[in-house]
Amino acid sequence: MRPISLEADLHLPRERGLSSGGRVQIRLEKESGVVGICGPSGAGKSTLIRILAGLLPRGTGVIRVDGVAWLDSDRGVDLAFEQRAVSCLPQGTGLFSHMTVRENLLFAHSLSERPDKGRGSLDWFSLSGIFPHWTGSRRRPLPERLLLLVERFGIGDLLEKGPGALSGGQTMKVALVRSFLKETRLYLLDEPLTGIDPEGRGRLTQEIAALLRERRAMALWVTHTPGELSPVADKMVALPLEEEAPGRIEEEGPPVGFDLPFEREMTEWRR
Amino acid sequence: MIHSALSITVALSLSTATILSLLALPLAGWIVFSGSRTSAVWEALLTLTLVLPPAVLGYLLLVAFSPESPPGAFLAKLLGHPLPFSFAGLLLASLIYSLPFAVGPVAQSFRQVPKGTLEMARILGARPLTVFWKVVVPLSLPGIATGWILGFAHTVGEFGVVMMVGGNIPGETRTLSLKAYDDLLSADGRGGWEAIMPLLLFSFGALLALNLVRRRGASHAPNLPRS
């Protein structure tokens, strides 16, 4: 399978409490793997992920994936999220609290299997959405593809629970399964290990990396602890805060832009 | 006599609350999610009846419903009879009068659905109508129930508007509140309790139902991941 290429030259918008602005250049061509993104709070990690996904309409610059322009602000191109071949797990993602874990996954699965036509079909209008326990959707079996992911991430015993009964780590695992239901070659993961206990982090990291290899997919993975990505990341970059020194994420050349306080983690990673 | 006032009040309140709850979904959805610059103006217009004196609103509606006015003439032709002093007129007036009580809680519930939840539904591939029906509406059920209860309770207790538009005709447009008023003004003034007691029971029941919905709503609040 041909490698996936991602090129971007972006000016991150300044957002109070989210991003201090600055320029980010990305040039990657990989068959699969993980590219870690770290940096101090406010460096624009989450903003970068959201602009790449097309969830933040205030990005300026260029994004090309496999030669297709997703964003080219000079030419007025800015594809919506739905038009970009990407799966995204934004920070602080919650589950739908009116659905059990099973229903959350089935809802995501139905949308990944059959594109939602919205007004064009009557699928959106069904009582199962509002009163799932009246319509039997709480007992529907999981399709094969979903079942495999559920077993892989070890959430089989959570299916009948409501999101309120889950810990932060369990919620994140369900959210990861939901995100990986979409089969694509680019995954944008914003701190996907949030809430996972220290013992489980390594195992989950390896599981995600293996899944990416199988799908020949690449993940841009935002983390606050670069050390935990060391076994799987091919490249790690820290977004700097200074506007004059753009953050560079490139396939070739040494990692650039590491600043304190990440020195300790990076030393650990290099070792 | 109390039976007809009671049945008219119950029929009017049930119809008003149910129709308003159905109307509140698209109205509140448009106000909260359309992003239209005029939505604030429309929201102010919809809530105008909260601040207008009921008798003034009743008078305005009476004028608007009169067969001499274009909308009144149109509706009279549609229904086969003039709107004033009829149950249909009473129902339409109640719908307009109680509209903010049904739309307000629904809009408030819609606003409380976390933006991240809406975004996640979109990320998973849901189109706006699917997000609305399968995510926003189920998460807003306590607000929708609150809107129904408030619409019902407000209609049970309305006086000025039903007096002006309904005309207080026994067996046709006389509600419990109008009967209580009539009875209290009667010679002995003791018959009022016959209508006051059901009004008290309805009010207590509505407040009790509101509290139960609020408690249930609190226990089903949207969950964000615990870190």
Side-chain angles (χ1 to χ4, degrees):
Chain A
M1 191 180 274
R2 61 180 169 70
I4 180 169
S5 72
L6 168 64
E7 287 176 69
D9 189 347
L10 296 165
H11 292 275
L12 303 185
R14 285 183 188 278
E15 291 189 274
R16 193 185 293 268
L18 283 175
S19 163
S20 56
R23 187 178 173 195
V24 174
Q25 293 170 305
I26 303 173
R27 198 172 66 243
L28 296 166
E29 187 164 330
K30 305 177 72 63
E31 285 219 352
S32 69
V34 173
V35 175
I37 300 173
C38 60
S41 296
K45 305 181 294 296
S46 298
T47 304
L48 172 64
I49 291 292
R50 296 172 68 78
I51 289 177
L52 286 172
L55 296 170
L56 202 63
R58 292 188 291 281
T60 53
V62 177
I63 301 172
R64 278 182 214 287
V65 176
D66 284 340
V68 177
W70 285 4
L71 175 72
D72 190 339
S73 38
D74 286 344
R75 287 170 46 212
V77 176
D78 189 1
L79 299 188
F81 172 82
E82 295 80 7
Q83 297 168 293
R84 302 183 184 200
V86 67
S87 179
C88 180
L89 180 66
Q91 199 177 17
T93 300
L95 304 178
F96 302 120
S97 60
H98 60 293
M99 300 179 187
T100 62
V101 169
R102 178 189 294 271
E103 287 159 350
N104 264 282
L105 295 174
L106 284 170
F107 180 53
H109 181 265
S110 68
L111 290 168
S112 72
E113 288 280 290
R114 190 176 44 187
D116 182 15
K117 295 189 180 69
R119 208 187 296 251
S121 74
L122 278 177
D123 284 354
W124 61 271
F125 183 85
S126 75
L127 283 181
S128 65
I130 301 182
F131 304 110
H133 46 292
W134 289 5
T135 53
S137 76
R138 288 209 163 147
R139 293 182 297 277
R140 268 172 52 207
L142 301 184
E144 179 77 17
R145 190 164 71 89
L146 181 50
L147 200 56
L148 287 173
L149 279 172
V150 164
E151 284 168 3
R152 194 161 189 168
F153 283 82
I155 56 167
D157 54 337
L158 307 177
L159 291 175
E160 313 315 326
K161 291 187 177 178
L166 303 183
S167 69
Q170 290 171 326
T171 303
M172 189 50 81
K173 283 184 185 175
V174 178
L176 273 165
V177 169
R178 204 170 55 171
S179 292
F180 278 108
L181 274 169
K182 182 170 178 178
E183 294 200 19
T184 182
R185 295 197 64 203
L186 182 59
Y187 291 85
L188 303 170
L189 310 173
D190 196 349
E191 299 193 42
L193 301 183
T194 304
I196 307 284
D197 55 90
E199 299 78 41
R201 282 174 168 247
R203 200 167 53 246
L204 192 58
T205 305
Q206 291 292 352
E207 201 58 69
I208 294 172
L211 194 56
L212 290 168
R213 273 196 304 276
E214 287 165 27
R215 292 187 180 181
R216 304 232 174 210
M218 176 167 66
L220 293 190
W221 182 320
V222 172
T223 180
H224 265 290
T225 47
E228 71 189 7
L229 276 188
S230 60
V232 296
D234 307 309
K235 181 66 64 182
M236 181 77 73
V237 69
L239 290 184
L241 283 168
E242 297 80 18
E243 206 163 339
E244 307 80 53
R248 285 204 184 85
I249 306 174
E250 297 189 32
E251 178 62 12
E252 301 300 327
V256 292
F258 286 109
D259 294 312
L260 290 171
F262 296 96
E263 194 175 45
R264 190 179 58 76
E265 283 94 337
M266 287 320 301
T267 309
E268 188 183 306
W269 177 57
R270 282 173 181 140
R271 198 187 300 145
Chain B
M1 209 50 128
I2 180 68
H3 296 300
S4 70
L6 183 65
S7 57
I8 288 168
T9 303
V10 170
L12 181 67
S13 305
L14 282 177
S15 315
T16 302
T18 306
I19 294 170
L20 279 181
S21 287
L22 294 174
L23 286 175
L25 295 182
L27 279 173
W30 185 77
I31 287 170
V32 175
F33 299 117
S34 72
S36 165
R37 286 180 187 175
T38 58
S39 63
V41 177
W42 283 103
E43 193 169 8
L45 270 176
L46 288 176
T47 48
L48 194 62
T49 57
L50 277 177
V51 289
L52 268 182
V56 172
L57 179 70
Y59 172 73
L60 291 174
L61 291 176
L62 195 59
V63 171
F65 291 173
S66 127
E68 276 82 54
S69 78
F74 171 76
L75 288 169
K77 199 174 172 186
L78 197 72
L79 296 168
H81 61 80
L83 270 182
F85 316 124
S86 70
F87 185 81
L90 210 55
L91 178 60
L92 191 54
S94 295
L95 289 173
I96 294 168
Y97 183 44
S98 298
L99 190 63
F101 290 88
V103 174
V106 177
Q108 189 58 28
S109 285
F110 285 0
R111 287 193 177 102
Q112 282 172 357
V113 176
K115 282 205 171 82
T117 302
L118 301 177
E119 187 177 70
M120 197 61 227
R122 186 186 160 205
I123 287 172
L124 294 174
R127 302 292 286 267
L129 270 177
T130 308
V131 177
F132 181 74
W133 188 248
K134 294 196 173 174
V135 177
V136 174
V137 169
L139 287 174
S140 305
L141 284 180
I144 295 167
T146 301
W148 191 93
I149 294 165
L150 285 179
F152 181 87
H154 193 243
T155 309
V156 167
E158 72 186 28
F159 181 80
V161 171
V162 290
M163 173 72 110
M164 296 294 278
V165 177
N168 197 5
I169 302 168
E172 281 187 52
T173 58
R174 182 191 274 180
T175 59
L176 279 176
S177 54
L178 293 178
K179 179 169 168 44
Y181 175 74
D182 279 352
D183 290 350
L184 287 170
L185 290 185
S186 66
D188 58 7
R190 282 179 296 183
W193 288 105
E194 208 178 28
I196 288 170
M197 283 313 290
L199 284 173
L200 274 173
L201 279 176
F202 278 132
S203 306
F204 176 74
L207 289 173
L208 183 65
L210 272 180
N211 283 333
L212 292 174
V213 166
R214 203 166 291 157
R215 281 189 191 185
R216 192 170 162 76
S219 67
H220 284 74
N223 295 290
L224 290 173
R226 287 184 255 155
S227 54

